[in-house]
Amino acid sequence: MLSFRLRGVRVIICFGFAAVWALFCLIRAELALPLLLASLIHELGHAAAMCACGQKLAVLRFWGGGILMIPRRSRMLTRRQEILILLSGPGMNLAVGWVLWLTGSSLAWLHTALGLWNLLPYRNLDGGAVLRCLFPGIRAQMLLTWLVCAGTFVLAGVCFAAGVRNVQLYAMLGYLFLWELPLAQTERI
């Protein structure tokens, strides 16, 4: 793990980020840099919304699942502000994807896919965090967890039936499914 401070923000780069990045470079080297830039644009969307809501960034963590921004809580956010911050990352990707599509860029799909992917309802993605803001409480979160787990099988089945044979897609769905399980198990107790 590499950790340093940049303008008062603690930046952490975990081994998992480097490992996933290296693996992605081996699989799709031509998309490695555009995906990193799309991810940074996504995080800039979150950062802009954080600033608009009066929050400052405390930690920027690069880990195996992507990039995580942790605000310095100077004041409590309203639920609406939290949702705005969560949706601003995918919103930025969708807006950039739309602009790139209008200009005829071949990278429009990458931003659009990243924006839509982050809207999926998994708890470590923006869509899941939004759902958890909208439906707080243990029972609601347990129900969401089980719906997401069931939805993963449905999504994988639909993709398979449609002829999608992308191993990375199924690996990522499996990872997201497994990520959901510990929450379901601990909340049952």
Side-chain angles (χ1 to χ4, degrees):
M1 176 175 75
L2 177 66
S3 179
F4 58 92
R5 289 207 170 273
L6 181 65
R7 295 185 171 234
V9 176
R10 184 171 178 216
V11 178
I12 302 169
I13 303 173
C14 299
F15 173 77
F17 181 80
V20 169
W21 181 253
L23 182 62
F24 191 79
C25 286
L26 288 173
I27 295 170
R28 297 290 303 261
E30 72 279 3
L31 291 179
L33 188 57
L35 181 62
L36 180 62
L37 291 174
S39 298
L40 291 174
I41 287 170
H42 176 95
E43 296 305 326
L44 285 173
H46 289 307
M50 283 173 52
C51 288
C53 292
Q55 295 293 310
K56 293 186 180 191
L57 186 61
V59 178
L60 182 61
R61 183 174 181 237
F62 295 80
W63 64 294
I67 304 169
L68 177 66
M69 298 175 71
I70 301 170
R72 182 177 295 123
R73 298 279 179 173
S74 54
R75 63 182 183 84
M76 292 299 293
L77 294 172
T78 66
R79 189 176 294 168
R80 185 175 289 164
Q81 288 173 321
E82 284 189 43
I83 292 170
L84 171 72
I85 291 169
L86 289 166
L87 291 178
S88 62
M92 182 69 92
N93 284 123
L94 294 173
V96 169
W98 183 70
V99 169
L100 290 175
W101 180 75
L102 288 176
T103 62
S105 173
S106 62
L107 292 176
W109 71 269
L110 182 66
H111 286 273
T112 304
L114 184 60
L116 292 174
W117 179 264
N118 273 283
L119 289 174
L120 289 174
Y122 296 96
R123 71 180 152 113
N124 60 335
L125 296 177
D126 297 324
V130 167
L131 284 177
R132 282 167 173 65
C133 281
L134 291 173
F135 304 104
I138 288 282
R139 288 183 185 246
Q141 296 201 10
M142 280 177 46
L143 179 62
L144 284 173
T145 297
W146 289 111
L147 288 173
V148 166
C149 288
T152 300
F153 285 106
V154 171
L155 179 59
V158 167
C159 288
F160 192 79
V164 176
R165 301 295 183 256
N166 184 322
V167 175
Q168 294 99 337
L169 172 68
Y170 295 111
M172 189 56 112
L173 285 173
Y175 170 79
L176 291 170
F177 171 77
L178 291 174
W179 190 265
E180 291 291 322
L181 286 182
L183 180 65
Q185 292 170 358
T186 57
E187 288 180 351
R188 246 187 294 161
I189 297 172

